[in-house]
Amino acid sequence: MKRKSLSVTKKTLNFYLTKLKDPQVRKLYNLFSNNLASMDLTNKKIMVGVSGGVDSLSVLFFAKCYALKHKAKLYPVIIDHKLREESTTEALKLKYKLKKNFNINCKILSKKITKIDKNIQSYARDLRYDLFFKECKKHKINYLLLGHHKDDLIENFFIRLIRGSGLKGLVSFNKNLSDYHGLKIIRPFLSIPKKKLKVLIEKENF
């Protein structure tokens, strides 16, 4: 590796390790790291879904810390659903901000909208997973980190309850680790309420 590249890498590492000295940040990182410990992702490729919300930004922040400490390779991606006129502009702004402020390169994934024959939320969810899966397969990535938190779990439970889901449907989201056609989906903050993640994002000025 060239001397300049080594210097940039060291500077980036010091930037994130300094952030971890904060007790609140360190506590969340330890939870994040512990939820990944059983999988041993050292030297592995990891995709991170980034939406711009406090949940996914928190996961991205700690995934970057984890990758630097464990020599893992991150593939952060932003999904542009193209369901709103401003979605592409928002995705580009987020990509620029993360590169400028945190030295994180994100790839934007999108797909031309065809006929939507289901509710918008279901369409957006299916599109996300389809794009994640195809990109992971393309780069031989077996792990995907998502930023779902405790509030998502509660909301999802009541949505499924209202829709008349059976017991299996009601508990299916309650997993830190799940499988999607062989792709391991990890939700390290499923036990953490959104307000705790919000504190981190405000503190780090994401």
Side-chain angles (χ1 to χ4, degrees):
M1 187 180 290
K2 294 181 180 180
R3 183 176 298 178
K4 184 177 180 181
S5 297
L6 285 170
S7 177
V8 172
T9 300
K10 185 177 181 180
K11 184 178 180 180
T12 301
L13 176 61
N14 289 336
F15 173 82
Y16 282 94
L17 292 183
T18 299
K19 300 292 185 182
L20 291 179
K21 291 180 180 180
D22 182 286
Q24 285 182 301
V25 177
R26 185 72 190 182
K27 185 176 180 180
L28 282 173
Y29 175 75
N30 287 338
L31 174 67
F32 176 93
S33 182
N34 288 339
N35 281 330
L36 271 58
S38 63
M39 286 161 278
D40 187 17
L41 300 182
T42 301
N43 295 317
K44 300 289 179 60
K45 297 178 181 179
I46 309 170
M47 179 170 287
V48 185
V50 187
S51 68
V54 298
D55 45 9
S56 70
L57 289 177
S58 296
V59 166
L60 177 60
F61 174 82
F62 288 121
K64 182 68 174 182
C65 295
Y66 182 92
L68 289 167
K69 290 168 71 69
H70 295 269
K71 298 180 180 179
K73 175 66 175 178
L74 281 192
Y75 286 82
V77 298
I78 300 168
I79 301 294
D80 176 13
H81 295 96
K82 296 187 179 296
L83 294 173
R84 297 177 292 108
E85 289 185 7
E86 61 271 27
S87 68
T88 299
T89 299
E90 290 173 353
L92 289 170
K93 284 183 178 179
L94 178 59
K95 175 182 171 73
Y96 173 78
K97 182 178 181 180
L98 291 174
K99 174 59 180 176
K100 180 182 178 182
N101 297 342
F102 298 93
N103 196 32
I104 295 176
N105 292 305
C106 290
K107 183 175 182 179
I108 298 175
L109 303 178
S110 62
K111 182 180 179 180
K112 185 177 180 180
I113 296 178
T114 54
K115 182 180 179 181
I116 302 177
D117 55 1
K118 59 182 78 175
N119 70 63
I120 295 296
Q121 284 188 331
S122 294
Y123 172 83
R125 182 189 64 244
D126 291 346
L127 175 63
R128 283 197 301 272
Y129 281 101
D130 181 58
L131 290 172
F132 285 143
F133 178 74
K134 288 180 178 177
E135 190 70 11
C136 283
K137 187 176 181 180
K138 177 181 178 182
H139 295 285
K140 297 181 179 180
I141 300 171
N142 297 319
Y143 302 93
L144 168 63
L145 287 174
L146 296 179
H148 296 132
H149 48 72
K150 189 174 183 178
D151 299 323
D152 288 327
L153 180 63
I154 295 171
E155 180 183 1
N156 187 72
F157 177 89
F158 283 106
I159 288 174
R160 294 191 179 198
L161 182 64
I162 291 170
R163 291 177 179 172
S165 292
L167 182 60
K168 184 178 180 180
L170 290 173
V171 301
S172 63
F173 190 68
N174 188 18
K175 295 180 181 178
N176 287 88
L177 176 65
S178 58
D179 185 279
Y180 183 80
H181 302 303
L183 176 63
K184 302 298 181 184
I185 300 177
I186 309 167
R187 302 177 177 91
F189 288 137
L190 205 54
S191 64
I192 301 296
K194 184 177 180 178
K195 63 182 180 181
K196 286 192 176 182
L197 301 178
K198 188 176 181 181
V199 170
L200 166 71
I201 297 307
E202 291 176 345
K203 182 176 293 187
E204 302 308 328
N205 194 30
F206 260 98

